[in-house]
Amino acid sequence: MSTQSEPGDGPLDPSLSAIMSERRQLINLGYRLLGSLADAEDVVQETYARWYAMSRQQQEAIEVPGAWLMKVASRICLDMLGSARARRESYVGEWIPEPLPDRSEWISGRSGSATVDPADRVTLDESISMAFLVVLEAMTPAERVAFILHDVFRYPFAEVAEIVGRTPAACRQLASSARRRVEASQTPAAPTAQQASLVRDFKAAWEAKDINALIGLLDPDATAVGDGGGLVSAVLHPIEGGVQVARYAIEIARRAPDMILVERTVNGQPGLVAQLDGVIVGVFAFEVTGGRIKHVWGVRNPEKLRPWTA
């Protein structure tokens, strides 16, 4: 997870270059902790603002600037997680983490002073899948921070304790509790080729409005969750049962006959994007278990689709 981001165009002060090279790591941390690329970017901005608010002497007194930046960013995320819980209590409908395109789909062309889009700085792995992020949402802020810092970023509990404000032993317990949540929700990962095949078949059946084919692709206990954020129409509560999910998919297809479905990588896994008149109006992530689709997450909140529509 110690990947480094590319330096910007033009020569940089060596110390500035060293600080800015931590940007990717900070974005990786913020997205996993907050489930939102926009919030992660805000965290990075605030972290750098605090760095540059210090005097040169204060900066030079910090032996490992990267570690300082990660510590500050983690504390900001911890505070934001606490306030996010209150905001999500008033959120209209279900809240789903912001879907992330594959990093190769984020690269913007460079010209002059153009920069690579921030999402190109997010490293995709198993800790970025929609299923994983959804489990993180059920954790307390302290559990989430302790678990991500230790299990994903390999921070020792002594350092985690300084960030979370607990003892190392308490942080170990927090991470252990979080780990149990993840393990309880995990199912054997289907090969990517199988996932892609099922999503492709789901797309074909959805376009054909073939409800029997859809039912055959869905696990009998499948669930579908939509996120419109109160800004666009979306199911307000999870739909449970493969038959019900299939029926709802058919209803969507009937209401939007001009909808086009495109296969895309969503959070590192095969997914679908819905387009109307060339504009992306929905992003769908899937979890495949036992050769069938077990979970479908559909994000329609336009604020969460900005990375896809830019």
Side-chain angles (χ1 to χ4, degrees):
M1 300 297 297
S2 59
T3 51
Q4 299 296 315
S5 59
E6 304 84 345
D9 294 325
L12 288 175
D13 180 302
S15 61
L16 175 60
S17 179
I19 291 299
M20 294 309 293
S21 70
E22 299 296 330
R23 183 177 179 81
R24 172 183 286 181
Q25 191 82 329
L26 297 175
I27 288 287
N28 270 285
L29 174 74
Y31 180 71
R32 284 165 174 78
L33 287 178
L34 302 174
S36 165
L37 189 64
D39 287 346
E41 187 68 17
D42 288 343
V43 168
V44 173
Q45 297 287 353
E46 175 61 22
T47 300
Y48 280 127
R50 294 187 187 185
W51 171 265
Y52 288 112
M54 294 189 297
S55 68
R56 188 61 176 252
Q57 285 184 327
Q58 289 174 316
Q59 292 173 356
E60 292 175 348
I62 297 173
E63 294 184 8
V64 186
W68 184 92
L69 292 169
M70 286 288 284
K71 180 183 293 186
V72 171
S74 297
R75 287 173 174 167
I76 295 172
C77 286
L78 185 60
D79 291 340
M80 291 181 67
L81 281 170
S83 60
R85 280 178 167 259
R87 292 199 310 271
R88 288 170 194 172
E89 287 180 359
S90 59
Y91 194 81
V92 178
E94 299 290 320
W95 191 95
I96 299 176
E98 182 179 315
L100 189 73
D102 185 85
R103 68 188 302 270
S104 63
E105 296 170 354
W106 280 85
I107 299 176
S108 304
R110 286 191 174 208
S111 61
S113 60
T115 58
V116 175
D117 194 292
D120 183 45
R121 306 178 188 280
V122 176
T123 303
L124 296 173
D125 61 17
E126 68 280 358
S127 71
I128 217 74
S129 72
M130 187 62 74
F132 185 85
L133 292 176
V134 168
V135 175
L136 293 181
E137 285 299 313
M139 299 179 186
T140 66
E143 277 181 330
R144 189 165 181 167
V145 173
F147 174 70
I148 291 295
L149 285 175
H150 180 266
D151 283 45
V152 177
F153 288 88
R154 303 303 178 188
Y155 270 55
F157 283 117
E159 293 184 28
V160 176
E162 292 181 17
I163 294 170
V164 179
R166 310 279 183 95
T167 65
C171 289
R172 187 183 297 275
Q173 291 181 338
L174 288 170
S176 178
S177 174
R179 199 175 303 119
R180 286 195 297 270
R181 289 177 185 259
V182 172
E183 291 172 351
S185 68
Q186 280 184 333
T187 54
T192 301
Q194 183 186 38
Q195 294 182 49
S197 178
L198 280 168
V199 171
R200 188 171 298 118
D201 290 344
F202 187 90
K203 170 181 177 291
W206 196 357
E207 291 173 331
K209 301 181 182 65
D210 188 339
I211 189 168
N212 291 324
L214 287 173
I215 292 173
L217 294 167
L218 290 160
D219 185 276
D221 296 323
T223 62
V225 182
D227 180 344
L231 302 176
V232 295
S233 62
V235 59
L236 296 179
H237 303 286
I239 298 173
E240 300 180 352
V243 173
Q244 296 302 320
V245 173
R247 287 176 177 169
Y248 186 72
I250 296 298
E251 180 63 24
I252 292 175
R254 287 173 177 164
R255 291 180 182 178
D258 297 328
M259 180 178 68
I260 296 175
L261 296 171
V262 180
E263 295 174 38
R264 290 284 297 271
T265 300
V266 181
N267 287 69
Q269 298 182 333
L272 295 175
V273 163
Q275 297 179 348
L276 282 176
D277 299 323
V279 177
I280 293 177
V281 295
V283 174
F284 299 88
F286 300 83
E287 182 180 31
V288 174
T289 301
R292 290 192 177 186
I293 295 171
K294 185 65 180 288
H295 296 290
V296 182
W297 294 279
V299 178
R300 296 203 61 227
N301 184 340
E303 293 183 350
K304 295 183 179 183
L305 298 181
R306 288 174 182 170
W308 297 78
T309 57

